[in-house]
Structures are given as C-alpha cells and as structure tokens.
Amino acid sequence: MIDSSLKPSAAKVRLAVFDVDGVLTDGKLFFGEQGEALKCFHTLDGHGLKMLQQAGIKTAIITGRRSTFVEKRASDLGVDFLYQGREDKINALNELLETEHYSMDEIAYLGDDLPDLPVIRRVGFGCVVINAHPFVRQHAQAVTDNHGGLGAAREFCDFILDAQGKLEPMLAEYL
C-alpha cells in the first residue's frame, strides 16, 4: 500500500500521467504474424482511469513506443492526452504544459523504467510500480504493491481519489 503520508501530495493532483509498457501492461510484448506488437491491458486499471476522469482529474499517457493498440485503449478510456513514440517523456510533458496549465505539484506520474525518471523526479506525486527498475524505485516518492499491468495503475488511481476524499463516495454508489 502506498504510504499514507503522501496523501497531501496526491490531494493536489489535477492531472495523472501514465507510462504504458510495464505500467498499464505487464511489460511483455507479443508479436503478431505481421510484426505488430500486441499488448494486454487489465480492466481494473482501465476502470481506475475512468474513475479519475469522473472525479474531474485529467489523464494522459506518455509512452516510448507507438501502437495502434495503445491508441485504441486510450480512446476507449477517454484519455485526455496521448503522446506516443516519446522516449523524451519530460519534453512530452513540457509540450502538454504549453497548452494545459498545471503546476508540477498538480501532476502525478506512474512509471517503471529509466525514461520515466526525469518526470518522476519533477512532478508533485511521482510513483512507480513495484516491479520497476530498482534505480528508478529509489527516486520515486511512492511504490505500488501491485505489479505493472496487474492492478498497479488502479492502486495509484484509488490512492489519489482517496487522498481527495472522492473514493468512498464513488464506492458507495455500488452499495
């Protein structure tokens, strides 16, 4: 479980940004006969992104690879901002901030590997999945209990919503 002492940082979040490979997926790549990379997404994670949006928190994906599967998943989930083919993730985030006005302390990021590190170190709530590269884990504010592609993004989303007092009312709707 993410350390509750980080709730003040998560309470400020207005934009949640996600990596894909190793975060929204388990990091494995399967290749089809035409050479296309196939990805597997977890429904728990997807619902977490939708819950953030319902709570008024914008969502973004910044990923180093290009994939029609990611484009489709982002569209299905209503992700607000999608940047693909961007290993320079801090530059992609800065491009987003040229048109969208968020301060760094209003941004949360969930990553897992070295290209994510510059963003993790700059945003107000920088988090990694438990199976992230050890060096990156050392520089993150928080580490999920769940692995990438297996509920880590949902854990991250739930933590943000809980820190903002929005999780319990959303859960109560299902009772």
Side-chain angles (χ1 to χ4, degrees), residues 109-121:
Y109 187 88
L110 183 61
D112 74 316
D113 209 347
L114 295 171
D116 303 308
L117 188 55
V119 178
I120 289 167
R121 293 184 64 183

Side-chain angles (χ1 to χ4, degrees), residues 63-136:
T63 179
R65 296 178 153 277
R66 286 194 174 276
S67 166
T68 57
F69 297 106
V70 171
E71 189 173 333
K72 170 85 168 104
R73 184 67 172 152
S75 175
D76 289 350
L77 294 175
V79 170
D80 299 289
F81 311 102
L82 174 61
Y83 292 82
Q84 293 199 76
R86 299 299 299 266
E87 287 290 329
D88 59 332
K89 295 182 180 189
I90 193 67
N91 290 335
L93 179 62
N94 286 333
E95 285 174 26
L96 188 153
L97 295 178
E98 287 175 10
T99 57
E100 303 298 318
H101 302 288
Y102 299 100
S103 64
M104 285 295 183
D105 68 338
E106 295 175 317
I107 302 171
Y109 187 88
L110 183 61
D112 74 316
D113 209 347
L114 295 171
D116 303 308
L117 188 55
V119 178
I120 289 167
R121 293 184 64 183
R122 294 265 322 273
V123 299
F125 185 53
C127 190
V128 295
V129 298
I130 195 166
N131 55 319
H133 187 279
F135 183 74
V136 180

